[in-house]
Amino acid sequence: MKTLVDQALREGLRQLQTPAPKEPFQTDSVSVGRCLIANLDNIAEALERADDEPLQ
C-alpha cells in the first residue's frame, strides 16, 4: 500500500509542475508627439483643452 501511495503522490506532483515560463510579451512603442498641455497639474484646464480638441 505504501508503494502505491508513493507512486500516486509522485505522479500527481509531476503533473502539478508548472510549465516553463513563456517568452515575455513586448509591445512596440510609438511616438505620439509632444504634450499639448504645458502643465498637467491643473486637471480642469486639461479637460477643457481635451473637450475643445477635434477627434482625429
Side-chain angles (χ1 to χ4, degrees):
M1 182 72 154
K2 180 180 186 285
T3 304
L4 180 62
V5 171
D6 285 344
Q7 289 175 349
L9 286 172
R10 283 192 182 95
E11 183 62 31
L13 290 173
R14 211 174 283 121
Q15 291 176 8
L16 286 176
Q17 289 180 350
T18 57
K22 295 181 180 178
E23 202 172 303
F25 183 78
Q26 295 181 348
T27 57
D28 295 331
S29 60
V30 181
S31 175
V32 293
R34 64 177 181 83
C35 184
L36 299 176
I37 302 170
N39 186 357
L40 293 177
D41 291 336
N42 185 346
I43 192 67
E45 179 186 350
L47 290 173
E48 184 178 330
R49 176 81 184 237
D51 287 342
D52 292 341
E53 293 291 323
L55 293 175
Q56 296 179 357

